[in-house]
Amino acid sequence: MQKSGYELVNKKEIEQVKLSSDERLGVDIIVAPAGKLDAARREYYDISDKALLAGFEREKKNLRDKLQKAQLNQQEYEEKYESLQKQYDQQQQQLDQLADKFARVNFDDVSPIYQEALELYKAGHIDQAIARLESINPAKRTEEIIKEEKRIGEAQKELDAQRAALETEKRSQIANLKLLADMYSADFDPAKAEAQYDQLLRLDSADFEILWNAAWFYKENHRYDKAMALYHIIINNLEIEGVRIGIAYYQLGQLYEETESLTTALNLYRQSSDRLKKLHYNNSDNSQYKYELAVSYERLGHLHSKLGNLPQALDFFYDQNKIINELYTNYPKNMDYKYGLANSYQYLGHIHSEIGTLDSAIIFFEKFNIIAKELCTTFPQNREFTQTLAISFANLGLTYRKKGDFKQALVYNINSNNLAKELYLTDPRNVDLKNLLATSYGYIGNVYFLMSDLDSAIIYLNKSNILAEELYVTFPQNKDFKRRCAFSFQSLGDTYKLNNQLFKALVNFEKYDSLLQELYAIDSLDLVLKIDLAISYSKLGEVHSALNHLNQALTYFEKGNQLFKELCTTYSQNAVYNNYLALSYAWLGNIYLRLGQMTKALFCTETYSAITEDLITSYPQNVEYKKNLADSYYQLGINHDIMGGLFRAMLFFERSNNVFKELYSAYPENMVVKNRLAGSYTGLGIFSVKKLKDKEKAKLYFKQAETLWVELTNEYPNNQQYWHGLSQVKGELAKLE
């Protein structure tokens, strides 16, 4: 420590001090102009030397007086004189040290009496200096200080005892509050449980276990602000290391994901994964590190799926599956790993389903189903495992439904429904089981709807709606139950619309829309809610279109289109959002066509086709996108037909037919594809005979349509739509004979 032109005054104190945790010295650095300290030493040395000499002379005189008065004999005198001389010599040797000590005194740090005495000493008034110090009665003051120190010590003992008793009471209260919070949670009273966690944090906000458990509770019960604050404290605590920090990062990421701050969530998931990868790399035998790394991959997979990055999502789910598979292979008796492996197969199935690789989706859903069956066989009383088996059947049903194999879809959905009914009967008060049963009825109803068995569809959809409404009425604030109820109204609306009961359809779609409006008003950041609301506008548009309320239909379709555009602007790579945007342009195109606004109709239909073509480029195996592409070509054909462009109309009709032929070749069991191909041949036949006046070509198309309609009516003899199609082509063929 140096400063030009200055010297350090309190060097000894600085040398003895240690740096604190915050890198502070704890004492002030005192400097003086160079030479001033040495001058002060000389001044104090002279004063001290004179004082010492004066005292020595005084004591010598006292000895001589005693000798003269015969109070001392000669020998005693000589002995005392020798002792006095030695004492003087010793003190003389200490003068340098004493002078240096006085010279370094910082007057800002001493008491007024100390300063006054030293000033008197410096002025040579040593007797007055001593008198000033003696005036405070040092011996008495020392006794007082010792007595006060003892009193404080006794008081401290009492305080320590009280603190220990309070700490015991505090620990007891913490245990009571934890138990009460758990009981309130078990009793489905999260508000009261939350109050207990609030009190726990007031009692001890530094206790890691309290922080961790409170953060988890707040997260699970959607107290996002509280949970985020605690997780930020946890990840910024340098004393907390290891796997829990990695977990805290992905827990915090989930909170940001649930509040739709997806970029922040993705960053946190990556940090979690990076930390857990390092832990796993340095401790490859630690199964917990390995498992939590798999969980971090799962979170990244779900978020990339939400963002529409399906290839990245698939990679992360494969990474998760690989790790969980290794863990289960090494620990085959660990049911958590087995259950985790089942779920990893489920996630892979979902992504393959979204991409459109349905055969791969079925493979993974079947693996999920096999493990779920094994778990149920091993633990027949475990409701969670039975619930998982029901879900696995439902996943297979949904995938076969996408493939157009409605008979197989119905088998799986009935299996799922049977399990849901069994579970519900064991505990009718369990809201999750009731919700599962409502969902399973809805799936069966939707399959019957697609099979055009509308009477059966309405029976099951009504069962679903009754349960869903009961849940919503009982728990009006529950977001999931309200959404489930909304979907039940949507499915009923679709069925009544197909059955041409349009006013009943309108009533149900309005209920569907009303519930979604309520949900969206509460949480406008929820992307899934935004999609659902846009779809509700489209449903209202469809039924108003069927009722010939074209302006009302246009208003609803425009609202839906606007929401889908907003979603695609923010998440341009999301295939699901882009598909809905494409469909919204299809609905707008149909309305503009009926309103006679051909330029707008053509623009919307061309946009529908262009977006769908881009989607197929990214996801060439997706059946839904290909069906939509064929539909867009068909709609373009209608537009050009009305506008008088017969050649271009025929070109687009043939393109539509070619896409359906490709699909039918790839998926011959897909009833929807076969139905649409039959309709395509029928349309080509009608266009050929009426517009192109080509009877031979028309006859060829009608015969191809007839073959397909015959197969469809044989497979589904109760489907009136298929019989109508067959009757139509037979009639057209009869006209051409």
Side-chain angles (χ1 to χ4, degrees):
M1 299 176 188
Q2 294 181 344
K3 183 177 180 182
S4 179
Y6 287 83
E7 59 184 323
L8 189 62
V9 174
N10 56 338
K11 182 179 180 182
K12 189 173 182 181
E13 291 177 80
I14 297 297
E15 288 174 344
Q16 292 177 345
V17 80
K18 292 183 179 179
L19 285 175
S20 64
S21 60
D22 59 358
E23 298 189 348
R24 297 190 179 211
L25 283 173
V27 296
D28 293 331
I29 298 172
I30 303 170
V31 295
K36 188 170 183 179
L37 188 60
D38 192 49
R41 282 196 202 97
R42 287 196 300 271
E43 183 178 4
Y44 280 116
Y45 186 92
D46 290 343
I47 294 168
S48 300
D49 186 43
K50 288 177 182 178
L52 182 63
L53 182 59
F56 179 56
E57 292 297 334
R58 185 175 60 251
E59 291 300 318
K60 283 197 301 181
K61 183 178 180 301
N62 287 338
L63 285 176
R64 284 195 297 270
D65 288 346
K66 288 181 179 180
L67 180 64
Q68 290 174 359
K69 294 177 181 180
Q71 292 176 345
L72 294 173
N73 59 36
Q74 185 63 36
Q75 186 178 351
E76 288 175 335
Y77 170 77
E78 290 176 359
E79 288 176 354
K80 287 188 178 292
Y81 184 86
E82 184 181 359
S83 175
L84 183 64
Q85 184 66 50
K86 285 181 180 179
Q87 185 179 357
Y88 172 75
D89 292 341
Q90 288 174 353
Q91 290 183 331
Q92 184 73 37
Q93 291 173 4
Q94 295 174 7
L95 283 182
D96 286 334
Q97 185 178 352
L98 187 64
D100 185 71
K101 181 178 179 181
F102 287 162
R104 293 179 186 275
V105 170
N106 179 14
F107 282 84
D108 292 336
D109 292 340
V110 298
S111 70
I113 291 176
Y114 187 111
Q115 183 176 348
E116 185 182 345
L118 199 57
E119 290 286 4
L120 287 168
Y121 182 85
K122 188 177 180 182
H125 307 307
I126 297 174
D127 291 342
Q128 293 180 39
I130 291 171
R132 185 69 186 94
L133 289 171
E134 287 178 344
S135 69
I136 64 173
N137 197 344
K140 181 182 178 184
R141 184 61 187 144
T142 297
E143 289 300 322
E144 289 174 348
I145 289 172
I146 291 172
K147 184 178 179 182
E148 183 66 9
E149 188 175 44
K150 184 177 180 182
R151 185 194 67 78
I152 291 173
E154 293 297 327
Q156 186 63 50
K157 287 181 182 178
E158 179 62 26
L159 282 173
D160 289 344
Q162 292 177 14
R163 192 179 302 281
L166 180 62
E167 187 63 26
T168 301
E169 176 63 22
K170 183 177 172 181
R171 291 298 116 193
S172 175
Q173 176 67 354
I174 286 172
N176 292 338
L177 289 173
K178 286 180 177 178
L179 181 60
L180 189 56
D182 290 340
M183 288 183 174
Y184 279 134
S185 295
D187 199 37
F188 209 65
D189 196 342
K192 287 184 178 178
E194 180 183 4
Q196 311 316 307
Y197 280 109
D198 292 345
Q199 289 185 56
L200 282 166
L201 289 167
R202 290 181 64 198
L203 280 172
D204 194 348
S205 60
D207 185 291
F208 178 75
E209 291 303 321
I210 291 176
L211 276 174
W212 186 264
N213 292 332
W216 181 86
F217 173 84
Y218 292 145
K219 172 184 170 292
E220 292 300 304
N221 288 277
H222 312 296
R223 274 56 167 183
Y224 296 124
D225 291 341
K226 288 182 178 181
M228 284 179 178
L230 293 187
Y231 277 119
H232 276 294
I233 291 171
I234 290 169
I235 65 176
N236 290 322
N237 190 330
L238 298 178
E239 295 180 4
I240 303 170
E241 298 177 352
V243 70
R244 282 196 168 183
I245 287 294
I247 296 171
Y249 269 104
Y250 72 64
Q251 298 279 30
L252 184 57
Q254 280 184 281
L255 290 166
Y256 279 103
E257 181 181 350
E258 288 177 27
T259 53
E260 303 304 333
S261 299
L262 302 188
T263 303
T264 303
L266 186 60
N267 181 50
L268 288 164
Y269 287 152
R270 284 170 176 162
Q271 290 187 69
S272 170
S273 179
D274 289 344
R275 286 174 176 270
L276 292 167
K277 271 192 283 190
K278 287 179 183 177
L279 282 172
H280 173 53
Y281 180 80
N282 295 323
N283 304 270
S284 57
D285 293 332
N286 189 304
S287 58
Q288 185 189 7
Y289 295 169
K290 201 167 189 175
Y291 178 77
E292 295 301 342
L293 178 59
V295 174
S296 76
Y297 287 146
E298 177 191 328
R299 295 313 321 162
L300 282 163
H302 285 308
L303 184 53
H304 277 294
S305 174
K306 194 171 187 176
L307 289 166
N309 306 328
L310 300 185
Q312 293 96 318
L314 193 62
D315 287 342
F316 280 114
F317 284 132
Y318 272 120
D319 288 340
Q320 179 213 7
N321 174 263
K322 180 182 177 182
I323 291 175
I324 296 291
N325 212 338
E326 289 173 1
L327 284 168
Y328 178 58
T329 300
N330 292 332
Y331 304 96
K333 293 183 179 180
N334 188 309
M335 290 301 103
D336 288 336
Y337 296 158
K338 188 167 188 173
Y339 190 59
L341 181 61
N343 280 324
S344 74
Y345 286 133
Q346 178 182 205
Y347 303 145
L348 286 167
H350 283 309
I351 297 299
H352 276 294
S353 179
E354 286 189 54
I355 289 173
T357 48
L358 300 181
D359 289 335
S360 294
I362 286 172
I363 288 170
F364 285 113
F365 283 140
E366 284 176 341
K367 289 183 176 182
F368 174 38
N369 179 258
I370 288 168
I371 296 177
K373 285 178 181 175
E374 290 174 359
L375 287 168
C376 283
T377 301
T378 308
F379 303 96
Q381 302 305 315
N382 189 306
R383 285 182 184 171
E384 185 178 2
F385 292 159
T386 306
Q387 220 170 326
T388 300
L389 181 58
I391 291 169
S392 74
F393 281 126
N395 285 333
L396 284 164
L398 290 169
T399 311
Y400 276 104
R401 191 171 92 186
K402 271 190 173 184
K403 286 192 73 174
D405 189 345
F406 299 138
K407 289 181 178 178
Q408 191 62 51
L410 192 59
V411 169
Y412 283 120
N413 285 139
I414 289 172
N415 286 340
S416 177
N417 177 256
N418 287 336
L419 288 171
K421 283 190 289 189
E422 289 175 16
L423 283 167
Y424 180 62
L425 288 173
T426 63
D427 187 3
R429 293 180 59 197
N430 188 304
V431 292
D432 291 329
L433 299 181
K434 192 170 190 174
N435 190 41
L436 179 70
L437 182 58
T439 304
S440 70
Y441 280 132
Y443 287 157
I444 293 174
N446 288 332
V447 174
Y448 278 123
F449 166 80
L450 291 168
M451 294 171 73
S452 295
D453 185 349
L454 301 186
D455 291 337
S456 296
I458 287 174
I459 289 170
Y460 282 99
L461 292 174
N462 271 323
K463 287 183 177 183
S464 175
N465 178 257
I466 289 168
L467 292 172
E469 276 202 282
E470 286 176 1
L471 284 168
Y472 167 54
V473 170
T474 308
F475 303 101
Q477 302 305 315
N478 187 295
K479 182 176 171 181
D480 294 332
F481 295 161
K482 185 179 281 192
R483 180 178 274 170
R484 173 71 254 163
C485 187
F487 289 155
S488 71
F489 285 124
Q490 177 201 0
S491 297
L492 281 168
D494 285 332
T495 307
Y496 283 124
K497 177 176 170 290
L498 187 63
N499 206 29
N500 207 36
Q501 295 175 273
L502 299 181
F503 287 106
K504 281 190 175 182
L506 182 59
V507 168
N508 280 280
F509 285 145
E510 285 175 341
K511 289 179 180 179
Y512 169 47
D513 177 72
S514 176
L515 289 173
L516 290 175
Q517 293 283 3
E518 290 176 17
L519 285 166
Y520 190 65
I522 296 169
D523 189 2
S524 60
L525 294 175
D526 189 318
L527 299 180
V528 178
L529 268 179
K530 196 168 189 173
I531 297 170
D532 293 339
L533 183 60
I535 293 171
S536 78
Y537 289 144
S538 303
K539 294 296 180 182
L540 286 166
E542 287 178 6
V543 75
H544 278 293
S545 174
L547 288 165
N548 213 33
H549 304 157
L550 300 187
N551 289 322
Q552 285 174 278
L554 181 61
T555 299
Y556 282 116
F557 285 139
E558 285 175 338
K559 283 184 177 181
N561 176 261
Q562 180 59 38
L563 289 179
F564 287 128
K565 282 194 290 188
E566 290 173 8
L567 285 164
C568 290
T569 299
T570 308
Y571 303 101
S572 58
Q573 300 304 310
N574 192 301
V576 174
Y577 300 166
N578 276 289
N579 182 48
Y580 277 122
L581 178 62
L583 290 171
S584 74
Y585 278 113
W587 296 322
L588 281 171
N590 287 332
I591 290 297
Y592 283 128
L593 186 72
R594 292 176 63 187
L595 289 169
Q597 299 181 35
M598 296 308 302
T599 302
K600 287 184 177 180
L602 185 60
F603 168 78
C604 288
T605 309
E606 286 176 341
T607 305
Y608 170 35
S609 183
I611 295 173
T612 307
E613 284 175 344
D614 288 342
L615 285 169
I616 289 173
T617 300
S618 300
Y619 302 100
Q621 294 178 289
N622 191 296
V623 177
E624 291 301 316
Y625 298 164
K626 281 191 175 182
K627 284 192 292 184
N628 290 344
L629 181 63
D631 179 66
S632 75
Y633 290 151
Y634 181 75
Q635 294 300 325
L636 283 168
I638 292 174
N639 273 260
H640 285 291
D641 179 18
I642 293 173
M643 294 170 71
L646 299 185
F647 174 76
R648 287 188 64 79
M650 188 62 179
L651 178 67
F652 280 113
F653 287 143
E654 287 176 338
R655 282 186 184 177
S656 176
N657 180 259
N658 287 334
V659 174
F660 280 125
K661 281 194 289 187
E662 289 174 14
L663 280 170
Y664 181 58
S665 176
Y667 302 99
E669 302 302 319
N670 191 312
M671 186 180 105
V672 173
V673 170
K674 185 183 279 191
N675 174 32
R676 297 293 294 277
L677 179 59
S680 172
Y681 280 129
T682 303
L684 280 167
I686 292 171
F687 187 79
S688 296
V689 71
K690 291 188 177 180
K691 296 296 177 78
L692 302 179
K693 311 301 181 185
D694 188 339
K695 293 184 178 180
E696 290 305 314
K697 202 170 189 177
K699 189 183 292 186
L700 177 63
Y701 285 132
F702 285 137
K703 284 191 174 293
Q704 288 173 304
E706 182 182 33
T707 300
L708 293 172
W709 289 125
V710 168
E711 291 176 4
L712 285 165
T713 52
N714 287 336
E715 291 176 46
Y716 299 95
N718 295 323
N719 192 310
Q720 296 304 308
Q721 181 188 350
Y722 299 162
W723 285 109
H724 174 76
L726 180 59
S727 174
Q728 183 182 16
V729 294
K730 283 184 177 294
E732 294 294 338
L733 283 169
K735 292 177 188 176
L736 295 174
E737 293 300 331

